[in-house]
Amino acid sequence: EGVTYERIDLRVAGLGLGLDARESGVPICLSACHVRFAESGAGGAGLVLRVRNGPLSSTGGMQPIFRDDGTWQLWRDRAGRHVFFAPKGSPPPRQVTIDPAFTAGDVTGEFSTMGAGRWSRYPLQDIDMMIFANWLAETGDLILHASGVDDHGEGYAFVGPSGAGKSTLAAELSRVPGVTVLGEDTVIVRRQAGRFVLYGTPWHTSPALCSPGGVPLTKLFFLDRTVGHHALPCSPRGG
């Protein structure tokens, strides 16, 4: 905690994201959960974002893709680039511009407006999950609102609405020998080499309840307090 970086690489679900702030001098700080996904000095990022200090671009001439003034926004500019805006409630104002192939872009923020204290937070705070959601969608993969574990090489995901018990179950399973919690509230599912793979994510509050690992998805559970227990075998759909 308190460690800052000029350049850092993260790897989530096999996707490498690099943040480079060497030109701007804006210090990069990671949450305890994000530290678990860091690969400092790895240099194998598929998407590299340069961190810049400055004003945000106008959305004039951009096409709105998703717009909610209370949360994040996604626009497409005239060059076909993805332009994400962080929620207004998470200062300072920031935008992330990424090329259509998700290989390069910029994180621009008014970091100098943070006062006498130096900016020492994660530049993609409150927005990186949305970036990964759209990046994964390019290959038909997705972020699942679920907890997930690696149980001796088998992946189990527990899907349910808020309050269904996902985090509670993850905390209980974390105490079982041989079980690794991949995520208490969000996991990623990717189809790779003809099978579904369950990955951990960093978007949590406890580093003990997330892991950067990946494991074949074996079982999918739906948590519902209003129905009884039953099992239904299923097979992947072709397509």
Side-chain angles (χ1 to χ4, degrees), residues 8-9 22 33 51-52 56 60-61 66 72 79 112 131 142 150 157 163 170 178 200 205 210 228 236:
I8 193 72
D9 291 313
R22 288 174 292 186
C33 291
V51 182
R52 298 179 176 275
L56 276 58
F66 174 84
W72 65 285
S112 61
I131 293 172
L142 55 84
D150 174 352
T205 58
C210 65

Side-chain angles (χ1 to χ4, degrees), residues 143-166:
I143 297 174
L144 199 61
H145 186 199
S147 59
V149 301
D150 174 352
D151 183 1
H152 296 86
E154 295 191 355
Y156 301 157
F158 304 91
V159 183
S162 298
K166 298 185 298 297

Side-chain angles (χ1 to χ4, degrees), residues 170-196:
E172 290 294 327
L173 291 174
S174 70
R175 292 188 276 269
V176 178
V179 173
T180 299
V181 176
L182 299 174
E184 64 168 315
D185 189 64
T186 57
V187 291
I188 288 172
V189 176
R190 304 194 67 186
R191 185 161 189 172
Q192 298 174 313
R195 65 180 182 180
F196 293 103

Side-chain angles (χ1 to χ4, degrees), residues 10 17 19 28-31 34 72 85-96 107 111 114 119-131 203:
L10 303 172
L17 169 64
L19 288 172
I28 300 171
C29 185
L30 299 178
S31 72
H34 280 82
W72 65 285
F85 287 89
K88 290 185 176 180
S90 58
R94 284 160 288 141
Q95 77 178 55
V96 184
V107 183
F111 301 106
M114 296 303 290
W119 164 268
S120 58
R121 288 159 59 188
Y122 180 47
L124 296 179
Q125 182 173 324
D126 300 325
I127 195 67
D128 64 341
M129 183 166 67
M130 310 311 170
I131 293 172
W203 306 300

Side-chain angles (χ1 to χ4, degrees), residues 50-66:
R50 293 173 296 178
V51 182
R52 298 179 176 275
N53 183 48
L56 276 58
S57 302
S58 167
T59 57
M62 295 188 188
Q63 175 188 0
I65 304 301
F66 174 84

